[in-house]
Amino acid sequence: MQDFSLYFQLGWQHILDWRGYDHILFVMVLCGTYSISEWKKVLILVTAFTVGHSITLALSVLNYIHINTPLVEFLIPLTILITSASNILNKKPKKNGVQFKYILALFFGLIHGMGFSNYLKTILGKSSSIVAELFAFNVGLEFGQVIIVAGTLIVSFILIWVIKIKKWDWTFFLSSAVFGISFVMAAERLHALL
């Protein structure tokens, strides 16, 4: 139980660490087009992302796949850029667009899981029994992710329902800001990749 608590804490601290804000930005922009009343859609969307990153996190930590770290570090802000651009370009989302967004979240989760795995591998070292630690870390990541989602939906609620900002204005502002930040991040990481 002590190990579970330790790895759970490492998981949520990792995703909420402001020095590694790329994952925070992704989760924010992923759910930034929704309001609190659409929490079921957000739950499904975040679950799709969770399934994706859980798969590659496990496969990488258990050494079934090997990762080119600079490439993954470049792909992560690229996923943020694409998600932000999608939010901006889809002012009036189509019904089938929701399903596409779930598939995109699942796919992007696969990429983010590879990024999480590098951190977890350095902590685990040469440990031979890692399944419980992997599970605890993943649960911790999810706990941190729920905090980001809740924070984003609360800010959305305050701006849209209390201050009376149009939903599209909030979505456009958040997505544009995150797009700009992730563009710079991707450019810096591309330079490091080359």
Side-chain angles (χ1 to χ4, degrees):
M1 189 64 181
Q2 184 179 2
D3 280 351
F4 181 90
S5 176
L6 171 68
Y7 283 95
F8 174 82
Q9 182 178 354
L10 288 171
W12 71 258
Q13 286 177 345
H14 178 65
I15 198 166
L16 293 176
D17 184 356
W18 285 103
R19 292 170 290 177
Y21 57 90
D22 46 358
H23 300 298
I24 295 171
L25 291 176
F26 181 77
V27 174
M28 285 175 62
V29 80
L30 187 65
C31 66
T33 60
Y34 298 95
S35 60
I36 285 182
S37 63
E38 299 172 296
W39 66 269
K40 289 180 184 176
K41 291 180 182 178
V42 175
L43 181 63
I44 295 168
L45 189 64
V46 171
T47 300
F49 177 66
T50 297
V51 168
H53 78 66
S54 297
I55 291 168
T56 50
L57 179 62
L59 291 175
S60 176
V61 170
L62 296 171
N63 290 315
Y64 288 108
I65 59 172
H66 300 283
I67 296 166
N68 177 335
T69 302
L71 178 61
V72 171
E73 290 302 316
F74 167 70
L75 290 175
I76 288 172
L78 199 59
T79 65
I80 304 167
L81 267 171
I82 293 168
T83 305
S84 300
S86 173
N87 289 352
I88 293 166
L89 296 174
N90 292 316
K91 189 172 183 178
K92 293 186 179 181
K94 300 168 187 76
K95 289 192 179 194
N96 64 353
V98 171
Q99 292 174 345
F100 178 72
K101 200 167 188 178
Y102 297 148
I103 293 167
L104 207 58
L106 174 71
F107 178 71
F108 288 168
L110 294 170
I111 295 168
H112 283 252
M114 289 184 267
F116 292 138
S117 70
N118 291 331
Y119 173 75
L120 185 56
K121 277 183 172 181
T122 60
I123 294 169
L124 289 172
K126 302 286 185 196
S127 177
S128 59
S129 173
I130 60 172
V131 175
E133 290 86 350
L134 177 62
F135 176 73
F137 183 79
N138 206 32
V139 172
L141 283 175
E142 295 323 302
F143 177 73
Q145 189 170 282
V146 167
I147 291 172
I148 298 166
V149 169
T152 304
L153 291 178
I154 289 168
V155 169
S156 170
F157 175 79
I158 292 168
L159 292 174
I160 294 168
W161 296 102
V162 177
I163 300 177
K164 303 292 185 192
I165 291 175
K166 291 180 184 173
K167 184 177 177 183
W168 168 246
D169 291 343
W170 159 244
T171 299
F172 184 78
F173 171 77
L174 175 66
S175 300
S176 297
V178 172
F179 182 91
I181 295 166
S182 58
F183 182 83
V184 171
M185 193 185 314
E188 290 171 352
R189 293 180 184 184
L190 178 62
H191 181 69
L193 185 62
L194 300 176

